[in-house]
Amino acid sequence: MALVVTNTLTRRKEEFKPLREGFVGMYVCGPTVYGHSHIGHAKSYVSFDVIARYLRHIGYKVRYVQNITDVGHLTDDADSGEDKIAKRAKEERVEPMELVETYMRSYFEDMDALNALRPDISPRASGHIPEQIELVKTLIAKGHAYEVAGSVYFDVTSWRRYGTLSGQRLDEMEEAVRIDPNEQKRHPSDFALWKKAEPQHIMQWDSPWGRGFPGWHLECSVMSMKYIGPTLDIHGGGLENSFPHHEDEIAQSEAATGQPFARYWLHNNMVTVKGKKMGKSLRNFITLKDAFAGKFPQDEEGNPTPIRPFRPMVIRYFILTSHYRNPLDFSVEAMEAAEKGLKRLEATVGAIRKRLIEPASGEVSPGAKQMIEELKSGFTAQMDDDFNSAGAIAELFKFSAKVNESLEAGEVPQGDLKAIDAAFTELAGGVLGIITAHTGREEESSASIEKGLLDLMVETRNGLRKAKQFQLSDQIRNRLGEMGVQLEDGPEGTKWKRV
RNA sequence: GGCGACGUACCCAAGCGGCUUAAGGGAACGGUUUGCAAAACCGUCAUUCACGGGUUCGAAUCCCGUCGUCGCCUCCA
């Protein structure tokens, strides 16, 4: 079985073969940090997190680069376009870099909560100004860019392959209704590599063309090629960036190096809310912090209304139950369904881990061995098919059902428990990241006094149950339930867990 | 107007030419278990894949058309 990925460049599934044996250089467009991250960011970065994890799982050494845009991203393409960071910094009355720091931390905090592993390199645009100036100089020298009054534009007519990624054609784009005519540009589709800064502009640097700042598209070309090389194995990002952002990246990179920029373009689809795209400018977006706190937009204005909190892991699981290339519609109902599904998986893992006595010993029985092999081959087949995490989760559920069945049937040998736990840890934990080392071990990880008190409550209640004092024992269970501790009476005694 | 994607059960969602007379999750309904619950387990739940044609020995999967939804062409993950 070989890994197959859908390449936006060719619009088909292709066998994945990196440039260098055993090594994958992967670049994913990161966030512009001028506000808190939302569910759309989560879909994108959780998807690429799993892609990176899976590539490592099948043995590749991966260098995952994901930029932080902290300068140059304009609110629109017209001359009047303001830098998003500068604009927000003015509004919040802070230094631009202060704003960047705040939201960059917020971003990493949210991604950590979603159990997305950090990229290997998180380069910032503002830290790569000299490299960006160099690339602009190269493009001018090669006749692909021109300077007008302190700004430099890429000449799209000099790059005849312009539009291959998105299937756009220059002559057709000229007719596009909403492109703002900009007198400086020779062609409406020419894009800014370097912009002249007015004296009052907060972020500006010296360049051969005077004081200014880099255009948005430039940073991705510069930073990806700096840390990976002129040809990336994978370039990822959100679908909405395929045009013009990725198209421009290809043009300026290939025009500069003369080499193919990226072998595989992977695009994740959008998150929708009630069928409509969720976007920063549409004001219908749900920030991750709101979602974790249980606030969802319920009214027409999109104001966050408290419903109930969902664990970050539920959001991660929810994202992974659909394919990264398909749109995902976000709703409270869908989150509740996802929460229940994830709990079932966690319950099985918990049941295994509770029976497991470390250090576990003993051989794995042939039956368990076969179950695990079936899981692994099914899981791998799904993930090999363009990272089909939804299919991979289905395999986990099939396996989980078999595990539950054997737990129900009677004593499972320690060797089997250990192997089953290892399989879950490797696939559901290591690859999909939907369980952690703590899953099913909530009791052990509780503070000692809390644990002692709960054990005492359970003991007391079981005494009452023995004496058939059900009214009192139910009261204890109900009250603990209200506090978020769930009691389960089973044949092996009473268990408690946090809900 | 140009480019592109999607339409699978009550809901979500895989499948992309034969292994599927369609995975998995949620909901629902029976049953086992339980003091009652919860959890878990067993069973039921699409001869059918928006609709109409065509290609093929064979199509949810390929082609054409129709309808519907969405995205990009302007900032956005």
Side-chain angles (χ1 to χ4, degrees):
Chain A
M1 273 306 250
L3 174 62
V4 167
V5 302
T6 304
N7 189 351
T8 312
L9 209 50
T10 55
R11 294 192 183 79
R12 65 188 61 183
K13 285 187 184 175
E14 297 172 4
E15 189 177 329
F16 178 75
K17 283 200 192 108
L19 198 58
R20 279 196 280 153
E21 180 86 33
F23 176 84
V24 177
M26 166 165 145
Y27 183 87
V28 174
C29 284
T32 301
V33 282
Y34 67 107
H36 291 300
S37 306
H38 53 67
I39 306 281
H41 292 107
K43 175 164 164 73
S44 189
Y45 300 123
V46 165
S47 299
F48 285 106
D49 176 51
V50 167
I51 287 172
R53 284 167 178 259
Y54 187 67
L55 289 169
R56 291 192 175 111
H57 175 76
I58 57 177
Y60 287 111
K61 172 100 178 74
V62 177
R63 179 176 292 161
Y64 178 10
V65 181
Q66 188 196 98
N67 64 297
I68 296 283
T69 299
D70 59 358
V71 64
H73 199 159
L74 303 185
T75 51
D76 62 68
D77 200 33
D79 258 357
S80 56
E82 270 189 282
D83 187 299
K84 290 181 175 195
I85 303 280
K87 187 179 174 211
R88 259 313 261 282
K90 257 184 254 166
E91 285 166 10
E92 297 196 10
R93 292 167 176 276
V94 294
E95 275 291 317
M97 286 302 117
E98 207 174 352
L99 181 95
V100 162
E101 205 64 38
T102 302
Y103 290 117
M104 191 174 69
R105 288 178 195 176
S106 164
Y107 167 73
F108 282 123
E109 190 177 281
D110 293 341
M111 292 303 134
D112 289 349
L114 288 168
N115 199 25
L117 302 174
R118 301 252 179 136
D120 299 299
I121 306 177
S122 301
R124 287 165 62 168
S126 65
H128 296 75
I129 301 292
E131 292 92 335
Q132 299 191 64
I133 289 172
E134 280 310 306
L135 189 70
V136 177
K137 277 157 78 175
T138 306
L139 288 169
I140 292 175
K142 292 198 172 183
H144 291 292
Y146 55 92
E147 190 220 329
V148 183
S151 290
V152 182
Y153 295 96
F154 185 88
D155 176 7
V156 291
T157 60
S158 77
W159 190 249
R160 61 186 187 292
R161 288 208 299 277
Y162 191 77
T164 358
L165 179 70
S166 55
Q168 305 284 329
R169 286 177 42 200
L170 275 183
D171 46 348
E172 278 157 0
M173 280 186 287
E174 265 184 283
E175 294 157 24
V177 225
R178 285 183 291 176
I179 288 182
D180 244 329
N182 173 340
E183 258 101 75
Q184 293 188 336
K185 293 184 188 178
R186 292 183 193 164
H187 187 283
S189 295
D190 287 353
F191 55 92
L193 297 169
W194 187 264
K195 294 276 276 185
K196 176 191 168 71
E198 299 305 321
Q200 70 273 18
H201 197 98
I202 325 182
M203 287 181 286
Q204 46 176 291
W205 290 265
D206 277 324
S207 81
W209 317 284
R211 302 281 292 174
F213 57 94
W216 173 43
H217 312 299
L218 198 59
E219 58 166 292
C220 286
S221 291
V222 161
M223 298 192 291
S224 60
M225 293 196 288
K226 170 163 181 169
Y227 296 111
I228 293 171
T231 300
L232 321 174
D233 290 305
I234 292 176
H235 188 124
L239 192 63
E240 86 289 353
N241 275 334
S242 56
F243 189 90
H245 183 54
H246 295 154
E247 201 72 74
D248 292 350
E249 278 184 49
I250 294 174
Q252 70 200 4
S253 305
E254 299 193 350
T257 66
Q259 296 181 55
F261 178 49
R263 295 164 64 80
Y264 303 93
W265 281 88
L266 269 43
H267 285 107
N268 67 279
N269 217 311
M270 310 281 89
V271 171
T272 56
V273 178
K274 291 177 186 156
K276 291 283 173 200
K277 184 189 138 178
M278 180 173 83
K280 281 188 177 172
S281 52
L282 296 178
R283 294 175 156 235
N284 67 340
F285 67 89
I286 302 162
T287 69
L288 286 165
K289 293 195 189 323
D290 275 349
F292 297 161
K295 294 182 194 161
F296 295 94
Q298 291 298 295
D299 57 20
E300 292 308 306
E301 305 283 288
N303 291 316
T305 312
I307 306 290
R308 68 185 183 80
F310 288 101
R311 288 145 58 204
M313 208 55 122
V314 171
I315 293 174
R316 182 181 178 97
Y317 170 87
F318 172 61
I319 287 165
L320 294 176
T321 52
S322 82
H323 192 94
Y324 76 92
R325 289 188 67 85
N326 288 144
L328 181 65
D329 197 50
F330 192 82
S331 68
V332 174
E333 297 71 42
M335 288 299 294
E336 278 172 348
E339 184 176 54
K340 284 178 185 154
L342 178 59
K343 271 188 183 170
R344 282 196 59 192
L345 228 38
E346 288 171 336
T348 305
V349 175
I352 291 292
R353 289 181 175 174
K354 273 185 188 112
R355 286 168 177 76
L356 195 58
I357 303 156
E358 295 287 3
S361 57
E363 291 295 300
V364 189
S365 70
K369 204 168 188 173
Q370 201 197 327
M371 262 166 57
I372 291 167
E373 267 162 27
E374 275 171 25
L375 165 70
K376 287 192 176 173
S377 70
F379 186 96
T380 307
Q382 295 292 345
M383 291 300 285
D384 272 347
D385 183 9
D386 200 18
F387 310 103
N388 187 350
S389 56
I393 288 174
E395 296 298 324
L396 286 173
F397 273 105
K398 286 189 216 165
F399 177 69
S400 172
K402 288 183 211 156
V403 170
N404 286 330
E405 212 170 330
S406 49
L407 288 177
E408 199 80 5
E411 199 72 9
V412 177
Q414 287 290 313
D416 286 6
L417 292 175
K418 189 180 175 185
I420 291 166
D421 180 41
F424 271 121
T425 301
E426 180 186 349
L427 303 180
V431 177
L432 296 180
I434 51 175
I435 66 163
T436 69
H438 296 292
T439 303
R441 290 187 173 132
E442 289 80 6
E443 289 190 31
E444 297 150 48
S445 61
S446 289
S448 59
I449 290 184
E450 186 182 69
K451 177 171 164 25
L453 285 171
L454 278 162
D455 288 346
L456 177 63
M457 292 306 290
V458 167
E459 254 177 67
T460 311
R461 176 170 165 274
N462 280 340
L464 291 168
R465 287 173 70 216
K466 244 179 211 147
K468 302 213 184 290
Q469 300 255 26
F470 294 126
Q471 207 183 335
L472 264 178
S473 67
D474 284 357
Q475 192 186 333
I476 291 171
R477 185 173 61 195
N478 292 341
R479 291 291 300 277
L480 286 175
E482 285 162 22
M483 285 181 245
V485 176
Q486 187 176 303
L487 296 191
E488 291 173 6
D489 300 323
E492 288 139 59
T494 302
K495 291 174 217 156
W496 63 264
K497 64 179 180 190
R498 289 163 194 281
V499 188

